[in-house]
Amino acid sequence: MAINLTSLGTTPSGEELQHVIIQNKNGHKLGLVSWGASWQSFKTAAGQDLVLGFHDVDSYLNNNYYIGNAVGRVAGRIDGANFDLEGHNYQLDQNEGNNTLHGGEKSFSHRNWEIKELDEINNRVVFGTSLDENEDHFPGTMQVTVTYALSDTDEVTLEFSALSDKTTLFNPTSHVYFNMGGLETDANKMQLQIKADRYMELRKTDKIPTGKLLPVEGTAYDFNTVTTIGEAIAEIPSDDFDKKFDDVFALDLKYQTNVVLSDPVSKRAVEMTTDRNAVVFFITNPEVDNYSDQAAFLAEHPYNGVALEAQTLSDSIHHPEFGDIVLPANQQKTYTTKYAFKNL
């Protein structure tokens, strides 16, 4: 077990991005970057990387797909970029149309986190930051930590913890992208199981929840049994050239393992267990935005990453029945998600 700390480089304003590698006794390595408290890589002892990430500063500063980032204060979309709390209305950044996406422009993902602790005994790294309401327009000054740990049983534990001096909102997630076949393989060929009987109905115009949870049974959204992703995409009722999943599933929390993503060729898998009530399943190839002819690009370069974002159901500040994301003043809240890697 070992932790190695180096510099990834510096930003134009002079901030240094820290690069952390945690290695377990099996020789597998977890890579982290201080910008966005990001999960950068997961390399097997044989050198196969199973997580999409960047290896230069500029890519992290211009990361439109939130690749690997810690996301918050609030993951997902907030309708109208505003909400009411304790008799006050709060107006947030409109960074996706009229709505707020992933906490706005001054969120967890858009800052360089401090390394608070390097714990070689427990193979653990703690990142910390502070968000002020004058920056991101959510109420209160919030102290946040993101903790990553890699066990000798090849399990990554990710913990978000926050404390605010005013009542505020807290619904974080990790935007890590997996490819269990390896970074250049076709993610459509991976297999997925999500223990969820319902998924969110979203407005087609801007993917804001309508307030309804729809049954997955008999639809392309039923992943209760192991399903090949590409076959499920083919069943989505859409004519878009890039039709894909970017959808919120209400987890059935009676199961010990909530989500399993696997590669039928290598037999590698990651099993996700969380205390959150939902997961966003998003599949894409983040490079597609760099090309004017996106259809041609995707024909040659299929989807190569699957994001599994554990969180409270989206926009729950406007739909309280979806879950409670209110963080009371001076009360600490912690969320934990575990990722168990298999057959490495």
Side-chain angles (χ1 to χ4, degrees):
M1 294 171 67
I3 299 178
N4 184 48
L5 177 65
T6 58
S7 173
L8 191 71
T10 57
T11 68
S13 63
E15 293 182 273
E16 185 175 33
L17 272 59
Q18 300 294 316
H19 183 213
V20 184
I21 299 290
I22 307 176
Q23 180 173 324
N24 69 8
K25 70 175 184 180
N26 304 318
H28 307 311
K29 297 178 181 179
L30 171 65
L32 310 168
V33 172
S34 59
W35 188 268
S38 298
W39 184 343
Q40 178 211 33
S41 62
F42 186 93
K43 287 188 177 181
T44 68
Q48 183 68 68
D49 202 345
L50 308 179
V51 164
L52 276 65
F54 300 122
H55 300 275
D56 64 282
V57 171
D58 186 63
S59 293
Y60 277 104
L61 298 184
N62 298 282
N63 181 8
N64 294 331
Y65 279 74
Y66 297 85
I67 295 175
N69 289 163
V71 172
R73 303 182 193 195
V74 174
R77 295 169 175 87
I78 296 178
D79 191 9
N82 75 86
F83 63 93
D84 295 319
L85 187 63
E86 295 188 329
H88 298 278
N89 179 262
Y90 294 92
Q91 185 66 46
L92 307 174
D93 293 336
Q94 294 178 326
N95 64 323
E96 189 186 63
N98 295 322
N99 307 313
T100 299
L101 175 66
H102 290 335
E105 296 293 346
K106 301 293 184 180
S107 64
F108 289 4
S109 307
H110 296 81
R111 64 188 56 234
N112 197 29
W113 293 56
E114 179 185 353
I115 295 178
K116 296 286 189 180
E117 186 177 354
L118 294 174
D119 179 359
E120 290 192 306
I121 294 176
N122 297 298
N123 245 19
R124 187 175 70 120
V125 175
V126 181
F127 294 98
T129 195
S130 175
L131 291 88
D132 184 88
E133 60 186 297
N134 293 320
E135 292 180 277
D136 68 353
H137 312 304
F138 287 88
T141 298
M142 177 185 281
Q143 306 295 329
V144 193
T145 59
V146 176
T147 301
Y148 294 89
L150 173 62
S151 75
D152 284 334
T153 56
D154 303 325
E155 184 175 83
V156 175
T157 299
L158 177 53
E159 181 181 278
F160 288 92
S161 189
L163 182 70
S164 175
D165 62 356
K166 291 183 182 179
T167 298
T168 190
L169 305 186
F170 184 51
N171 183 15
T173 194
S174 169
H175 218 298
V176 57
Y177 288 79
F178 299 101
N179 189 325
M180 305 313 294
L183 299 188
E184 301 306 317
T185 61
D186 184 354
N188 290 290
K189 297 179 180 179
M190 283 194 290
Q191 295 178 330
L192 182 64
Q193 185 176 33
I194 303 175
K195 291 297 185 179
D197 292 331
R198 297 177 299 166
Y199 73 103
M200 273 190 162
E201 182 181 62
L202 304 173
R203 293 195 311 231
K204 293 182 179 180
T205 53
D206 57 7
K207 302 190 77 66
I208 291 291
T210 65
K212 295 181 181 179
L213 295 176
L214 305 178
V216 302
E217 186 176 3
T219 75
Y221 301 88
D222 191 349
F223 290 92
N224 277 291
T225 57
V226 176
T227 302
T228 299
I229 293 174
E231 293 177 2
I233 289 175
E235 297 300 318
I236 297 175
S238 170
D239 295 326
D240 293 344
F241 75 85
D242 65 338
K243 69 175 180 176
K244 58 182 178 288
F245 288 96
D246 183 7
D247 290 278
V248 188
F249 293 78
L251 293 173
D252 189 336
L253 296 179
K254 71 173 180 280
Y255 294 98
Q256 184 174 2
T257 299
N258 306 111
V259 181
V260 180
L261 179 69
S262 57
D263 170 44
V265 177
S266 68
K267 307 300 182 184
R268 289 187 293 257
V270 60
E271 300 177 354
M272 189 181 83
T273 303
T274 186
D275 55 12
R276 316 306 298 280
N277 72 2
V279 64
V280 176
F281 162 37
F282 177 49
I283 183 170
T284 191
N285 187 327
E287 288 292 316
V288 69
D289 274 4
N290 297 333
Y291 295 86
S292 56
D293 190 342
Q294 294 186 345
F297 173 82
L298 286 176
E300 295 293 328
H301 306 85
Y303 302 137
N304 66 339
V306 169
L308 300 169
E309 307 159 50
Q311 59 191 257
T312 302
L313 285 161
S314 299
D315 200 28
S316 61
I317 190 59
H318 293 126
H319 304 280
E321 67 277 14
F322 286 168
D324 184 9
I325 63 168
V326 174
L327 177 65
N330 304 311
Q331 294 186 28
Q332 190 154 4
K333 181 67 177 179
T334 299
Y335 294 112
T336 303
T337 299
K338 296 183 178 182
Y339 308 83
F341 289 85
K342 304 293 184 179
N343 302 321
L344 300 181

